[in-house]
Structure formats: C-alpha cells, structure tokens
Amino acid sequence: MANIAFGSKYFIFSKFSSIPKTSKIEQDRVNLKKEFDELNAFEASEELANHLEVGKYLESKAYNELMASIQSGKAKEQDKIKRYESQKKAKQFKDYFKFKNSEALKNHLSFENSKELSDYIILEKLVTSKEFETQKKAASDQKNTEDKKVNELKSLKKSKAVKDYFKFRDSAKLKEFNTIANSAELKQYLEQEKSKGNTDSKQSGNIKFYFKFKDSPKYKSFLAFEKSNELKKLNDLEEYVDSADHKNKLSKAESSLAELNGKEKDFQQKKKSSEIKRYYKFKNSQKFKTFLAFEKSKELTDYIELEKYLASPEHREILKSIEDKEKAEAEKKKKYEDFKNSKKYKWYISIKDSEKFNNLKKWELVFEDDFAGAKLDKEKWMTRYFWGDKLLNDAYAMESDKAFPTDGKNIELGNSVLKIVTRSEKTEGKAWKQPFGFIPQQFDFTTGLISTARLHRQKYGKFEAKIKVNYAKPVNYNFWMASEKNLPHVDILRIEKKKTHVDMASHSGNISDKKLDSKKAEFTGLDVAQDFFIYTFEWTKDKLTWKINDVVVNEQTQNIPKEEMYLVFSSSITGKAESTGLPASMEVDWVKCYQEV
C-alpha cells in the first residue's frame, strides 16, 4: 500500500506493505551487486573477448581467402585421384587389375610376404600359451570378485533390518524429532529445568513428543543399528561399488576378457583357413607368370608412381592439412555459434544494456564504515561538535541540551555495531550560552555523538546508514548533516516526539538569525524501534530526497544546500528531562557515502 502525503506529512496505512524488510533490501542489493559484478567480469573475460574476435575474423577478408585456398588445394588433390581412377579403367589395366584383384591372387599375395602366415603362427603360439590361460583366468576371477561385491550389496539392501533402518531414518517423526532437538524451545526448556532443579515444569506438545520419541524402543533400535557392523558393511560396500576403483577393476576385467576371447575366436577362424594349401599351387600357374611379366611394363610403372603418390605420406599429409584446416575453421565457427546460442551469452546480451544496474553505475562509494573494529576509527570520526573541537579542543553542549555529549565515553562498539548511549548520570561540561559563549554547567545526563566534520565532507551525493533506535521518551535520535558554519543543516533522521514519528528537514539562513528558512516533513506510522532500517538521503543541485528502506518518504525542490556538509550521528535530550527508560541508545550498523559518477 503506498504512502499518502498530506502537506508536509507522510502517513502510512501498513508498515509491512509500505516499507519492505531491511533484510530483503540488503539481500536484494547483494544479489544485484553480485549480478553486476558477474556482468562486469563476463564483459572483461577472455572467453567473451575471444568470441568477439572470432566474430570479426569470420567476417574478414582473411577468412574468405583462407576458405578459398582450402577449396583450391582440395580440388587439386581430388583431380589427381580422378586421373588415377581414369587410368585404372583403361583396357591395358583392366586385364591386369582383374587378375590382380582376383580372389586367387589376393589369397596368394597375402602369403607371399608371409605376414598372414606369420600372424597365424604368432596367434597360435599366443592362444595356446600358459601365459594366455593365466591372463584369461585372472580377468575372469577379477570380474567374478567385483560382481560378487555388487550382488552382496544388493542382498544387504534387501534385508529387513536395513529396510527398517532407512524407512525410520526418512520418517516424518524422526525429522520432527531432530527439528525439536535443535530448537530454541527445547534449549529454553532444558535451561529452565536446570535452573529450577526439578522436572515438574509444564511441557508443551513438542517437548512431550521429544522425550517420548527419545525413549522409544524404535529410536533406540535405530541408534543401535547406526553403529552396527551390518550398516558399516553396507556403507563400505556401497562406497566401494560406487568408487572409481571398483568401476576401473570391473571395466579392466571385462575389457581384458573381451580382448582375449576375441583373439581366441580369431585363431579358431584362421585355423580353418585353406589359403596355405592353395598358396603353392597358385605360384606355379601360367596366369600368375603372365601377370608378373606385365608388372615390369612402363605403363604400369607410370601408373604405380601415381598410385604410390596417392598412397604416400606426402599426399596424406596434404589431404590431412586441408582437412585439418577445414575442420579447424568449422570448429571455430561452430564454437562461435554455440557460444552465441549459449545461456550465458544470451543472459549477457539480454542484460548488458538493461537499466537495472543504473543505480550501481550512477554512484561511486567515497566513504564507508561498518564499525567492525574494537574501537572507533579516529581516521574517520571525531566525537565532539566541530566548533568545540576547532575552538576549544574540547566537547561542549548546545544551549538547549539537557544531556552532555561526552567526548567518546558514551560511544560503544561491538558485533560490528556502533552504539550512542544516553545515560542518567551527573557530569560537568561546557555549554554554549548566548551571548556569553561557552559556560561550565552541571548536567544530569550524558550522551554522545560522532562526526566526519574534520575528515570527510561532501557536496551532493547519496548518504545512507543502517540504524536502529532503542527508544526512550526523553531522548532525541539524530542522523544529520551540517556545513562549516552549521547552516545549511539537513535532518536525515530525527526521532523526538514518538518512535513512530520520523522528522526530516533542511534548514538554511544565519545561525544567529532566529528566522531560519526551514522546510520540514514528518513520516508517521512506522515503529523505528522494531528493527534496523536503512535511512537514505539523496542530494542533487535540484532536489532533496529522503528514503526509508528504499521507499521515498519525503522530497523537496526548495532550500537546497549548495556547499559541502559533513555527517553527524547523535542523541540528545532537549525537552523535559527524566530518567525513565534510560539508558537508551541509537545503533548504527554501517554508514556509506556515494558521489554521483
């Protein structure tokens, strides 16, 4: 539900619907920054640079010339092949090749150089050897061993005890028990029982269920089985069967068996061959002698030279070089297209020119503190008003202050949070009194402030702080900015009347002039003491904008400061002073200042 502005006030119907949770705002910012960093990283990545470079290359003259060269070289080699095939069809070669390609000559030539015969003898020696038998038995034994472990695991999984165990382990009641066991409710109950020294405290349904389940026989049986050797054996077997060691052993055994069986089968086939019987008969035939005579002719010599070239490494290397270049270019183009169609690249194209990162691009972080140290960083902060530091080298209070801002004594740091604590305690300090100046005075209350007056000032920009107010009625809580002479002055957050009233204002004029030009606004309906909230102030030359958790709660285009200002976080008591509710504090988780890029 949106805020509705009436004059200088913003009214809110529902703080939950109008102001989003701080945790969501911070998580959304983290997610956006993460995606922005991923975008920047991808834009700067080598893979994107390579993709763009390949894209330029595929459209270049060099690429077109290379592809033309590949096609030209390919055509030359194909022409030689065609010429060879043409010569092969001539009549003087047909008769020669008819005989050369006959089954009888092929059988004879396969034994002429004794290679096939030599292979047969070698294969026979191998298959009939003791070593071959040993290798086959070892591979078979290994396969049986691995199969046995798989079968043993399957058998174990089917056992009733194992089934009961896993059924109980995955049961809703065990999950409920474990949830309660880790709950704050149980922890609180046990602490109460320990402090009371008895067991008569009233138990909730969850607590009763927890103790009943804990003492149940099924749960005890479950815990006992978890420590059993049977479960350990199951887990060990399951781990082994899923392991690379098991898979490698099984694969190696199966591969070895397949290879050995293949060789054994090959031997049996060769053993039945009749080529050896035909070999010597063919060698003394007339046809074969005529064939040998033609092999010495010049025509065949020329043909064979071309054939030799086409079968040579040179020809293969040329073809391979052409093929490799063609393949490389095709792979390059495919890789380019695959990357272009990839989910990551499409994400990049869809988001690179979007407006979702405009805010991150717009602002540059120039000052920050997350208060993670054990002490306040004096390189960033001072703990007294600027003019007290400049003129007195001491802390002082304003004329209307009922609480004295001690010089850092009321500033506490812990768990990455700064606290400005307001206490009921007596102290003495200087107070500014017109027209007398700085006068010693007794105070019944102490408080604190931090300021960047000496160390960081800025004209225009965005200023943010994550703040929680631990509210007490007499205390004012302030996040503000001031210039060198205190005016102009901007209240980013001021809690004075109620914890549901956030005052915002910009003041200009002369510090001694009681008729100041002030533009004020009030945002109501949000209990700022319930949680941390992010208070944002954006300051441009034309506009001032106040936000709470990124929701605009005030805007103005008048009374715009035109000079550098510094940050101040402070608590004070300016109205009716009373100690009820004290000590009270304002907590600051972090503060950040941005300059527009």
Side-chain angles (χ1 to χ4, degrees):
M1 187 176 294
N3 298 335
I4 299 178
F6 296 95
S8 62
K9 289 188 177 184
Y10 276 75
F11 291 87
I12 181 169
F13 292 120
S14 170
K15 63 188 176 185
F16 298 110
S17 61
S18 296
I19 302 296
K21 287 187 176 181
T22 307
S23 58
K24 182 180 185 306
I25 295 296
E26 292 190 305
Q27 188 58 54
D28 287 346
R29 290 185 179 187
V30 168
N31 293 341
L32 185 66
K33 182 63 166 60
K34 181 176 181 290
E35 189 174 17
F36 185 58
D37 290 343
E38 288 173 352
L39 175 65
N40 290 332
F42 186 70
E43 280 190 326
S45 68
E46 186 177 349
E47 60 178 343
L48 180 61
N50 289 341
H51 173 74
L52 297 176
E53 188 66 28
V54 171
K56 291 180 182 178
Y57 168 71
L58 293 175
E59 296 178 357
S60 69
K61 181 180 178 182
Y63 172 73
N64 292 329
E65 289 177 348
L66 175 60
M67 294 306 295
S69 172
I70 289 172
Q71 295 304 319
S72 175
K74 191 175 181 181
K76 287 179 181 179
E77 294 305 309
Q78 287 175 344
D79 183 64
K80 290 178 182 178
I81 294 171
K82 287 179 181 180
R83 180 155 49 91
Y84 167 74
E85 293 296 335
S86 177
Q87 289 176 344
K88 191 175 181 180
K89 293 176 183 178
K91 189 176 185 313
Q92 63 266 37
F93 295 99
K94 282 185 177 181
D95 293 341
Y96 170 78
F97 283 111
K98 183 178 180 181
F99 186 82
K100 182 179 176 68
N101 294 323
S102 66
E103 192 66 30
L105 182 60
K106 287 179 181 179
N107 291 337
H108 176 77
L109 292 179
S110 66
F111 284 89
E112 182 69 29
N113 56 13
S114 301
K115 186 176 185 313
E116 188 172 343
L117 182 61
S118 176
D119 289 345
Y120 173 78
I121 293 171
I122 292 171
L123 190 59
E124 180 182 36
K125 184 177 179 181
L126 172 66
V127 171
T128 58
S129 69
K130 185 69 175 176
E131 181 183 358
F132 183 86
E133 183 182 349
T134 301
Q135 288 178 353
K136 188 172 180 180
K137 184 179 184 306
S140 179
D141 290 346
Q142 183 65 55
K143 184 178 182 303
N144 291 337
T145 297
E146 299 306 316
D147 288 342
K148 183 178 179 181
K149 291 184 181 295
V150 173
N151 292 332
E152 188 176 359
L153 175 60
K154 289 179 180 178
S155 177
L156 266 176
K157 283 184 175 181
K158 292 178 181 179
S159 73
K160 184 178 184 304
V162 170
K163 286 182 177 179
D164 290 345
Y165 168 77
F166 283 107
K167 182 178 179 182
F168 189 82
R169 191 195 68 177
D170 298 330
S171 66
K173 286 191 174 182
L174 182 59
K175 290 179 182 177
E176 182 182 357
F177 173 77
N178 289 331
T179 300
I180 296 170
N182 294 311
S183 68
E185 182 185 3
L186 179 62
K187 182 179 178 183
Q188 182 180 5
Y189 174 82
L190 295 174
E191 288 176 353
Q192 290 175 348
E193 290 299 302
K194 183 177 179 181
S195 63
K196 292 177 180 178
N198 63 71
T199 57
D200 296 330
S201 296
K202 186 176 180 181
Q203 296 181 346
S204 68
N206 284 343
I207 300 302
K208 290 178 180 179
F209 169 79
Y210 171 82
F211 285 106
K212 181 179 180 181
F213 190 92
K214 182 180 178 183
D215 295 330
S216 68
K218 283 189 176 181
Y219 181 63
K220 291 179 180 180
S221 177
F222 169 77
L223 293 179
F225 191 77
E226 274 198 319
K227 299 177 182 179
S228 69
N229 292 331
E230 185 176 357
L231 182 60
K232 183 179 183 304
K233 183 177 181 181
L234 174 69
N235 291 333
D236 290 345
L237 275 173
E238 193 166 40
E239 181 181 358
Y240 176 74
V241 168
D242 289 337
S243 70
D245 183 32
H246 165 71
K247 292 181 176 63
N248 289 339
K249 285 180 179 178
L250 183 59
S251 176
K252 186 175 179 181
E254 290 175 343
S255 177
S256 179
L257 274 175
E259 182 181 358
L260 294 173
N261 288 335
K263 289 181 178 180
E264 195 169 43
K265 182 179 179 182
D266 189 28
F267 167 71
Q268 294 299 332
Q269 290 175 344
K270 289 181 182 295
K271 189 176 182 180
K272 298 174 182 179
S273 173
S274 59
E275 284 86 351
I276 293 176
K277 295 178 180 179
R278 292 194 297 266
Y279 174 75
Y280 290 103
K281 182 179 180 180
F282 185 88
K283 184 177 180 180
N284 296 319
S285 67
Q286 185 60 44
K287 286 185 178 182
F288 180 65
K289 291 177 181 179
T290 302
F291 171 78
L292 291 178
F294 184 75
E295 278 198 320
K296 297 176 182 179
S297 67
K298 186 179 182 305
E299 293 88 348
L300 185 60
T301 300
D302 293 340
Y303 173 82
I304 289 174
E305 285 182 359
L306 181 57
E307 184 179 51
K308 185 183 292 185
Y309 168 74
L310 294 177
S312 68
E314 179 186 358
H315 173 66
R316 289 196 299 271
E317 286 171 7
I318 291 173
L319 285 180
K320 187 177 185 307
S321 176
I322 293 171
E323 182 183 352
D324 288 348
K325 288 179 182 178
E326 195 171 34
K327 184 178 179 182
E329 295 307 310
E331 287 179 352
K332 195 178 295 181
K333 190 170 184 178
K334 183 179 183 302
K335 186 176 180 181
Y336 173 81
E337 293 298 331
D338 288 347
F339 187 84
K340 185 178 179 180
N341 294 317
S342 68
K343 185 177 180 181
K344 190 172 186 180
Y345 184 74
K346 287 181 178 179
W347 163 81
Y348 166 71
I349 292 299
S350 69
I351 209 169
K352 71 183 184 74
D353 296 323
S354 71
E355 297 181 356
K356 68 187 297 184
F357 303 117
N358 286 358
N359 200 46
L360 289 174
K361 295 175 182 177
K362 179 180 179 181
W363 301 109
E364 177 186 4
L365 185 66
V366 294
F367 177 87
E368 69 172 329
D369 198 346
D370 59 4
F371 307 108
K375 296 181 179 180
L376 187 68
D377 187 349
K378 293 301 180 68
E379 296 296 319
K380 295 180 178 179
W381 304 97
M382 55 190 290
T383 54
R384 50 198 181 195
Y385 290 120
F386 170 68
W387 285 105
D389 183 74
K390 188 172 183 178
L391 299 177
L392 305 174
N393 192 28
D394 198 0
Y396 76 94
M398 297 293 189
E399 188 169 3
S400 60
D401 285 342
K402 302 295 194 308
F404 183 72
T406 62
D407 194 2
K409 294 179 181 178
N410 290 57
I411 304 299
E412 299 177 0
L413 271 78
N415 298 321
S416 294
V417 173
L418 176 138
K419 284 186 179 181
I420 300 176
V421 183
T422 303
R423 303 186 184 96
S424 175
E425 60 180 351
K426 294 184 181 297
T427 191
E428 181 177 308
K430 298 180 180 69
W432 171 255
K433 303 282 188 180
Q434 286 191 346
F436 307 106
F438 297 102
I439 306 298
Q441 179 179 317
Q442 293 291 328
F443 293 86
D444 294 326
F445 304 92
T446 61
T447 188
L449 66 86
I450 60 170
S451 165
T452 66
R454 192 170 57 222
L455 304 158
H456 179 75
R457 300 188 182 200
Q458 189 174 327
K459 181 180 179 181
Y460 306 135
K462 181 169 72 170
F463 309 85
E464 289 191 319
K466 182 181 175 185
I467 300 171
K468 181 180 180 184
V469 172
N470 297 309
Y471 184 79
K473 188 173 183 180
V475 182
N476 302 332
Y477 305 88
N478 310 287
F479 170 27
W480 49 287
M481 298 179 71
S483 63
E484 173 76 15
K485 296 181 180 179
N486 290 332
L487 290 173
H489 170 117
V490 173
D491 290 322
I492 301 173
L493 163 69
R494 181 175 177 83
I495 307 296
E496 182 175 2
K497 299 175 183 178
K498 297 179 181 179
K499 61 181 178 180
T500 56
H501 285 235
V502 176
D503 293 322
M504 299 155 283
S506 66
H507 311 279
S508 61
N510 189 292
I511 194 68
S512 61
D513 188 353
K514 295 183 179 180
K515 295 181 180 180
L516 300 181
D517 186 4
S518 298
K519 302 295 181 185
K520 299 180 179 180
E522 185 180 72
F523 180 78
T524 65
L526 178 67
D527 182 356
V528 297
Q530 68 178 328
D531 195 1
F532 278 95
F533 292 94
I534 299 171
Y535 298 89
T536 304
F537 175 64
E538 292 183 10
W539 169 25
T540 69
K541 65 179 182 178
D542 302 315
K543 187 177 182 181
L544 302 179
T545 304
W546 286 258
K547 298 179 181 179
I548 299 178
N549 281 10
D550 288 345
V551 175
V552 175
V553 295
N554 185 41
E555 294 177 314
Q556 64 183 59
T557 55
Q558 298 178 344
N559 221 28
I560 310 295
K562 302 297 182 183
E563 55 190 273
E564 287 186 336
M565 294 195 292
Y566 55 86
L567 302 180
V568 185
F569 295 88
S570 64
S571 293
S572 62
I573 299 176
T574 56
K576 181 181 179 181
E578 56 184 48
S579 60
T580 305
L582 298 182
S585 65
M586 180 169 74
E587 301 182 30
V588 185
D589 190 1
W590 51 259
V591 57
K592 298 177 182 179
C593 301
Y594 300 86
Q595 196 78 52
E596 192 167 0
V597 177

